[in-house]
Amino acid sequence: ALKTILENGSRSMDLRYQRHEIRPGGLVPEGLPYVRDQGTDSVQTLTVWLSDPAARLSVKLYYSVFEEKDVIVRAAELVNEGEKEITVEKAASASVDLPYGHWDLLHFHGKHCMERQMERVPLVRGVISAGSARGMSSHHQNPFVILADRETGENAGDCYGFMMVYSGNHNMEAEADQTGSVRIVAGIHEAGFSWRLGPGETFFTPEVILSFSGEGLNGLSWNYHRLIRENVCPARFRDVRRPVLINNWEATYFHFDTRKILRLAEQARDLGIEMLVLDDGWFGRRNDDNAGLGDWYVNEEKLPGGLKYLAEEIKKLGLKFGLWFEPEMVNEDSELYRNHPDWALKDPDRAPVMMRNQLVLDMSRQDVQDYLFDSMHAILESAPIDYVKWDFNRSVANVYSALLPQDRQGETPHRFILGTYALLERITAAHPEVMIEGCAGGGGRFDAGMLFYCPQIWCSDNTDCIARLKIQKGTSYGYPVSTMGSHVSASPNHQTGRRTPLAARGITAMSGTFGYELDLERLTEEEKETVRAQIREFHRYYWLIQKGRYYRLDRPETADYFTAWEFVSEDGLEALVSLVVTDVRANPEFPFIRLQGLREDVLYRAEGTDLLISGAALMYGGYTLPAQTGDYPAVQIHFTADTQDAAARPAQSGQ
Ligand code: DGJ
């Protein structure tokens, strides 16, 4: 978990227990996101002091126990107590030993347009690791892994979760050793990392959220869902309805002007949509992805009258207004780059690696952070803006800062992330009412670190609902649906070319923050009616979806036939089941599901039927749907309790 080099070249470290202390409350690490102790959980923190007198290094291990939530948050703090410098080459957040067991590792890998694909592999003797050295938490491996007993399924069995509260390079290592014991080490990736710890200086690792469930993977997911919603995301957005939005990206891409956007807003309003988000292309000379990034002033050729006029016109329609930024990036073809070429990360003697024609700004620099704060602040002050989409469209390469000395370059990746957090902190402090949606070429930075500032994150640039089922399902192992940005887009889909019915697109997007992202002008009158009905349904089930307990209902034997999931109200008296058939069959078996989380002795009615079925029958006997045919048929079934007792209690969607 720890690698150090002392000034004399020694790489040995022998940390021994000194003392410990237990005090009430959680941790508030400076400059890093963290799991918030809201005062409503009886949190206690255990601190264990270790030290190596020869190295004069102390390590404080923090364990914040959120007992009611079945969570322990772990972090470590290194303190150089000597007079000599210590070079830290690795400082993990947690190292957890399990002395027994046959475990599988579940990790969430992917790529652009296919994030968080769950893969389950048995541990082998040796080390398996899931990490990212891309300067961001990445599309490629999410900073979340699960250790599950070989027998563990969705609803039974033991499993442990490990989730970083961090958005940069990370590594989750799982090692099964010769004695059969298992060790998980989770923390900042050691690739490219080193930190010079001067006399008296401290280094704080990011937090890692540890949890356990003896009730299978659905139980573990619930622990994380609850904690992220209540203790990680900003509290001020927790209990407010988020608006159903229209985003213009897949409707117009870069080709828009004020007239087109206002037309889209009018149509959106007529359908019941509540916010318009203006995506990439409103600033500088940004007419395609070759130029303009970094120049955060409005392009008046496209938007005469500026953002103020546009936003005010949109407000007159009764809609909220949101705006896209990509703060950490710069195009070579921009005023910003021409004036400050040294503000981009790049090696002194090497042509920089380009991705999407752009470079990454050196967020470790105060002047870069100040420039970004000032320009974003000015824009947010200039017009009534309710929401920001904060994008990040490439990985970080050439991680070399022009300001840091040669022997401190290994600090750049972590300082980069600290700089990003500092900017987010300033923007959210200056504009607490503006909700930020995170984004990174889709879901390339979907992590608890970003969720600390942004209560929702765009899940993927792949808006094909059938591909989305897998992406959102993979995401659901660690993150609640209230954080998953998901939209209905056009058919055929722009990424895959697949044709899907509006019902399947609506049901899939509804299990998220919900919005639309397509040219509304192209909808038929019938489709418009369907959209209106979808929005009504979403409002009806809003709290059930956002706060209800979520269950994946698939079983291995039906996984290639359909995807099904369920939301259950806290009191267990109301449930919403969604099911999308992904492989339609001739002479098919009837889709069959077993509900979860109901009350055994309560009778439930499936909306539109007269039949009363007990919770026990629905959970253990199951529920069979009629045969489904056609292109990707999708259904939503609402179950409500039908007892005197139940009627007396408020159901969640009625809030
Ligand atoms: C990537 C995002 O994921 C998209 O939604 C869109 O905002 C584009 N960037 C714009 O460049």
Side-chain angles (χ1 to χ4, degrees), residues 249 279-280 286 324 356 389 391 393 439 441-442 458 461:
W249 180 242
D279 211 279
D280 195 354
R286 182 83 168 161
W324 181 96
R356 209 196 189 203
K389 179 174 173 189
D391 209 341
N393 279 305
C439 178
W458 183 227
D461 270 349

Side-chain angles (χ1 to χ4, degrees), residues 90 129-132 164 169-173 185-190:
K90 178 176 185 174
S129 70
S132 161
M164 299 286 304
N169 294 339
H170 60 87
N171 206 15
M172 317 294 253
E173 302 163 62
V185 177
I188 293 178
H189 205 306
E190 62 191 282

Side-chain angles (χ1 to χ4, degrees), residues 498-518:
R498 191 189 336 239
R499 287 174 198 276
T500 52
L502 200 43
R505 281 178 275 156
I507 285 175
T508 307
M510 227 179 259
S511 290
T513 59
F514 202 41
Y516 289 79
E517 186 166 335
L518 73 170

